[in-house]
Amino acid sequence: MGIPEELLNQAFFFHGHKCPAMPLGLRAGLKAMEVLGVERSQDKELHVISETGKGHAAGCFLDGIMFVTGCTYGKSNVEKLYWDKMAFTLIDTVNERAVRVSLKPEFFAKALKSPFVELRRQGVPPQDVPPEILKPLLDNILSMPEEQFLKMSQVFDQPWQKRPGCFTAVPCAICGDLTFEKALRVKGGRLVCIPCSGY
Ligand SMILES: [Zn+2]
Ligand SMILES: [Zn+2]
């Protein structure tokens, strides 16, 4: 499935720089949505459990997944397992079905030897990688067939318990910050926020 240029540009804007890993996430997220037959999440219809971590190459993958699926940190429908693996599970919370998607090991091992990653290894920030190095990598990522780089599980049942939203906030008795009540704690008989509670 091709990625419309406008969508790609919006995703790069959101992400902050051009790199190969973010568009890989875009394509992987799109494929997972296609397999589940779902639309982009407006609220919490979808949920992503990402196996990526932080401080490793290609973590940008998750921004592509977030952008295209609509699963975002603010809506709390994305979570990270910090397993440092290039994989994620997309859950259709309405129909309680899911699919796990990972980058094929042979593809990703090769990608880690790309001139882009080599420059990153030498400490070059992604935004300073010359376009003549980035462009052929991007062209390849945007045009290669999915079966070349994506490993898809079968769609499986994923029971999903809806968590009720919390809409009531109370001022902390110490600092005065309005705090949603499910995070309030008791200190000396008063309701306080987590940092003021000291526990
Ligand atoms: Zn990136
Ligand atoms: Zn407080």
Side-chain angles (χ1 to χ4, degrees):
M1 186 198 293
I3 296 194
E5 194 166 346
E6 197 193 337
L7 183 81
L8 183 66
N9 287 335
Q10 287 174 352
F12 276 134
F13 175 78
F14 164 74
H15 180 51
H17 61 243
K18 290 188 175 181
C19 67
M22 191 286 289
L24 282 173
L26 272 186
R27 290 203 62 191
L30 268 178
K31 182 65 186 174
M33 290 163 70
E34 184 194 314
V35 166
L36 291 174
V38 292
E39 299 289 320
R40 191 170 192 266
S41 200
Q42 296 184 70
D43 186 24
K44 298 179 185 181
E45 299 86 357
L46 301 178
H47 187 98
V48 163
I49 301 175
S50 174
E51 297 176 29
T52 56
K54 59 179 174 185
H56 61 71
C60 302
F61 186 60
L62 179 53
D63 272 357
I65 297 164
M66 284 179 27
F67 185 83
V68 80
T69 61
C71 294
T72 59
Y73 198 59
K75 294 205 292 291
S76 299
N77 54 344
V78 59
E79 57 191 294
K80 269 165 100 169
L81 297 177
Y82 297 98
W83 291 349
D84 289 16
K85 297 208 278 183
M86 301 303 290
F88 67 99
T89 297
L90 180 68
I91 302 167
D92 168 357
T93 69
V94 178
N95 297 299
E96 302 191 315
R97 296 158 82 238
V99 64
R100 180 181 185 265
V101 185
S102 56
L103 291 186
K104 286 191 168 171
E106 55 277 16
F107 165 80
F108 190 53
K110 209 173 138 203
L112 283 176
K113 296 191 178 101
S114 77
F116 182 89
V117 178
E118 189 44 48
L119 287 176
R120 296 284 296 116
R121 210 188 295 272
Q122 292 166 19
V124 177
Q127 62 271 27
D128 293 343
V129 172
E132 59 271 23
I133 288 187
L134 186 63
K135 175 103 176 32
L137 295 172
L138 278 182
D139 288 348
N140 182 49
I141 282 165
L142 293 170
S143 64
M144 67 185 163
E146 279 142 2
E147 56 275 16
Q148 205 173 310
F149 70 106
L150 292 181
K151 186 174 152 192
M152 312 289 299
S153 76
Q154 295 291 322
V155 172
F156 56 91
D157 291 336
Q158 177 66 61
W160 189 259
Q161 189 145 36
K162 268 210 172 126
R163 294 149 222 187
C166 176
F167 299 96
T168 307
V170 172
C172 164
I174 295 177
C175 71
D177 283 351
L178 209 57
T179 308
F180 284 99
E181 61 181 2
K182 72 187 178 59
L184 287 169
R185 293 183 172 176
V186 179
K187 187 183 185 185
R190 298 190 298 169
L191 290 174
V192 298
C193 72
I194 290 175
C196 290
S197 76
Y199 67 93

